[in-house]
Amino acid sequence: MSEGLGAYDEVKEQRLEFENSEDERRRSKIGSLKKKAINASNKFTHSLKKRGKRKIEYRVPSVSIEDVRDAKEESAVHELRQKLLDRDLLPFRHDDYHTLLRFLKARDFNIEKTIQMWEDMLIWRKGYGTDTILEDFEFEEMEEVLQYYPQGYHGVDREGRPVYIERLGKAHPSKLMRITTIDRYLKYHVQEFERTLHEKFPACSIAAKRQICSTTTILDVQGLGVKNFTRTATNLLAAMTKIDNSYYPETLHQMFIVNAGPAFKKMLWPAAQKFLDAKTIAKIQVLEPKSLSKLLETIDSSQLPDFLGGSCTCSAEGGCLGSNMGPWNDPEIMKLVHNAEATFVRQITSVSSGEQNIDSCIQIHPLKGRSSDISTAESGSDVDDSCSPTRQSSSRFPRLAPVHEEARASDPTAYYSCDDHFSQVDKALDTDQGLGEFFQWGHAKFRRYSGYSLV
């Protein structure tokens, strides 16, 4: 009996020693991770103190995109973002740095005016069904419309922006309205804007390896006269202008009005300016037929249709305006645009405890600029894949989308950088109180220096 009790005591003592060693190992590991997090935070803080313009590089496999930002603009975006969050006016799909910046520019960086403009935009989008218009609306009459309103995207300018072209002199509003209606054409107009934001801009950004958020537009007014300015045409132009200025501001980089004769300059151009704001007018150059070659300073000849002085004919596609030529038709580029894995992130902290990994980072939505819905999976079924982008369950801690630890260690193309698109995290935390306090400490420190909340 005494021998049995002695053996039992020995086993119990060994178990206590093992548990103590495990506790000591865990405390040591947490202490080490705290030091790493503090060092990372200090580096992050130092980077935020830099002034002037700064360059941010994002990388997805085989892609590096440069984004140059102004410190004052960035500060204004941060302030606007926080106020929109406080008022519950920032849906996930619109939580994007460059989108917020465009609206700020449209209101001369007046925060309250920008918030009002933003709120009006959200109300309009909900009523118009804009968030789903790419899937819900089909413009079957497109080919016929192009016969009486020749238009389309064709190529990019020398800096990589998409080039949009309209041949207004060949437009026939009365014939156009026999094929479609103003309401349907406006829906098509909005749909194309959404396609540009979510596909063309991201594709051009990948191709140019720099952030692309605006277009170069060419309006060919050769043959344009009073016959083109019917009541229908005026109403359509006014409606499109309101949509562009109110809901898609600051997407125009520059505009060329080409083949402008004396009659256009004296009569039509002064009338057209009534529909435009001063900022837009400042971006417009009016070129006479003899000055058409000036386009080649901005657009390479291979990207410019022959009827505008370029060398492109798109003969195989039936003409340039029907070809939709551009990086958005490159299958390899579009794989990245539509690939949910192609996101830009900056690593903030990485904490491991036992079998669970805790990652805190900022996740930007895919290059196409659209946020995919966060899907839900049953907890416990895929614990080994704790960073699965399709996994989500309830959590008592505010978290952001995780980054695979293995990718950081083994993938030479993996790069984590900063942007301003946030998402909730998809894995529940089941950690002890010490780790919970540590994560909250990291959250508070991050928010202090960045102005962002991880919530």
Side-chain angles (χ1 to χ4, degrees):
M1 175 70 79
S2 60
E3 291 181 359
L5 288 174
Y8 173 78
D9 290 340
E10 184 177 351
V11 170
K12 184 177 180 180
E13 184 177 349
Q14 289 177 353
R15 181 181 297 173
L16 288 173
E17 289 179 357
F18 175 77
E19 290 177 351
N20 289 336
S21 64
E22 282 294 299
D23 289 341
E24 183 65 28
R25 184 183 65 81
R26 182 179 298 177
R27 283 194 294 270
S28 176
K29 193 171 186 179
I30 291 174
S32 175
L33 288 169
K34 271 190 177 183
K35 289 181 181 179
K36 290 181 180 179
I38 290 171
N39 291 335
S41 179
N42 288 338
K43 290 180 181 179
F44 177 54
T45 303
H46 177 71
S47 69
L48 288 174
K49 290 180 179 179
K50 292 182 179 180
R51 293 294 181 263
K53 288 191 174 183
R54 63 191 183 92
K55 294 182 179 181
I56 303 174
E57 285 198 356
Y58 310 111
R59 293 178 195 167
V60 293
S62 304
V63 177
S64 176
I65 297 176
E66 181 182 85
D67 185 0
V68 180
R69 299 185 183 181
D70 179 82
K72 290 183 179 180
E73 291 179 350
E74 198 166 24
S75 177
V77 170
H78 293 177
E79 180 182 356
L80 172 63
R81 182 180 186 276
Q82 189 58 55
K83 290 191 174 184
L84 291 175
L85 285 172
D86 292 342
R87 302 184 192 190
D88 196 25
L89 291 174
L90 193 57
F92 176 81
R93 67 183 295 123
H94 302 305
D95 188 3
D96 172 73
Y97 176 86
H98 293 283
T99 302
L100 295 171
L101 180 60
R102 287 194 293 105
F103 277 80
L104 277 168
K105 287 181 176 180
R107 289 296 178 264
D108 296 319
F109 289 87
N110 183 302
I111 297 292
E112 291 305 316
K113 289 183 178 180
T114 302
I115 291 174
Q116 183 60 58
M117 184 185 189
W118 183 270
E119 187 171 11
D120 292 342
M121 177 270 293
L122 293 180
I123 294 171
W124 170 77
R125 289 184 70 93
K126 184 177 180 180
Y128 206 76
T130 309
D131 287 347
T132 58
I133 200 168
L134 283 173
E135 297 81 17
D136 295 346
F137 180 69
E138 187 174 353
F139 199 55
E140 300 96 341
E141 59 267 41
M142 182 62 199
E143 289 189 12
E144 290 182 274
V145 165
L146 287 178
Q147 296 178 25
Y148 303 113
Y149 192 178
Q151 58 182 280
Y153 283 89
H154 184 275
V156 297
D157 66 16
R158 293 185 183 274
E159 294 186 354
R161 300 181 188 88
V163 176
Y164 176 72
I165 302 169
E166 287 190 4
R167 305 192 75 175
L168 291 180
K170 294 184 176 296
H172 297 278
S174 59
K175 295 180 179 180
L176 182 66
M177 288 301 106
R178 296 174 193 169
I179 299 167
T180 189
T181 65
I182 288 180
D183 288 342
R184 282 187 60 78
Y185 190 84
L186 288 177
K187 276 190 174 293
Y188 159 72
H189 181 71
V190 171
Q191 186 183 57
E192 284 303 296
F193 243 123
E194 291 293 303
R195 202 183 311 278
T196 298
L197 291 176
H198 302 318
E199 295 182 359
K200 289 184 172 65
F201 284 165
C204 288
S205 296
I206 294 172
K209 296 186 178 181
R210 59 183 293 271
Q211 186 69 36
I212 300 295
C213 303
S214 57
T215 63
T216 291
T217 295
I218 302 173
L219 301 184
D220 184 358
V221 297
Q222 185 175 26
L224 185 68
V226 178
K227 63 179 176 61
N228 302 96
F229 282 85
T230 63
R231 181 184 295 271
T232 298
T234 302
N235 291 340
L236 182 60
L237 177 61
M240 287 193 298
T241 302
K242 175 176 173 53
I243 288 173
D244 297 355
N245 292 340
S246 301
Y247 312 127
Y248 299 98
E250 298 296 323
T251 51
L252 175 68
H253 174 68
Q254 61 183 335
M255 177 186 291
F256 296 95
I257 298 178
V258 302
N259 290 318
F264 176 86
K265 288 186 174 181
K266 290 181 181 179
M267 298 176 59
L268 299 180
W269 177 228
Q273 291 184 64
K274 296 178 181 179
F275 294 99
L276 307 173
D277 57 37
K279 285 185 177 181
T280 302
I281 293 173
K283 298 177 181 180
I284 298 174
Q285 293 187 52
V286 180
L287 304 179
E288 299 176 354
K290 63 182 181 180
S291 302
L292 204 59
S293 59
K294 191 173 180 64
L295 289 175
L296 295 175
E297 297 176 9
T298 302
I299 306 168
D300 186 80
S301 177
S302 65
Q303 302 290 302
L304 194 63
D306 58 351
F307 60 83
L308 293 175
S311 60
C312 187
T313 61
C314 291
S315 55
E317 291 82 10
C320 290
L321 293 190
S323 69
N324 196 32
M325 183 185 85
W328 48 89
N329 279 325
D330 185 318
E332 295 304 314
I333 288 178
M334 294 312 293
K335 282 180 183 178
L336 289 172
V337 171
H338 293 295
N339 183 1
E341 297 294 326
T343 54
F344 306 137
V345 294
R346 168 188 257 169
Q347 174 71 21
I348 304 299
T349 60
S350 177
V351 180
S352 298
S353 175
E355 295 182 355
Q356 292 186 332
N357 294 325
I358 303 171
D359 295 278
S360 171
C361 62
I362 303 172
Q363 180 173 4
I364 317 314
H365 54 113
L367 288 172
K368 59 183 177 180
R370 301 176 69 192
S371 59
S372 56
D373 293 333
I374 302 174
S375 58
T376 305
E378 293 289 340
S379 61
S381 61
D382 48 2
V383 175
D384 292 338
D385 189 17
S386 61
C387 294
S388 170
T390 62
R391 186 164 182 268
Q392 181 184 14
S393 56
S394 61
S395 173
R396 56 193 176 92
F397 297 111
R399 300 182 59 217
L400 293 176
V403 181
H404 282 284
E405 186 68 35
E406 293 179 0
R408 287 193 292 273
S410 61
D411 184 1
T413 66
Y415 180 87
Y416 304 96
S417 186
C418 180
D419 207 310
D420 310 296
H421 204 101
F422 292 75
S423 68
Q424 293 180 347
V425 173
D426 31 10
K427 179 170 164 286
L429 292 180
D430 185 15
T431 59
D432 58 30
Q433 184 178 358
L435 282 177
E437 291 175 352
F438 171 56
F439 187 84
Q440 290 175 340
W441 166 84
H443 176 194
K445 193 168 182 65
F446 174 70
R447 183 171 184 174
R448 173 186 174 190
Y449 291 118
S450 69
Y452 289 156
S453 171
L454 303 189
V455 178

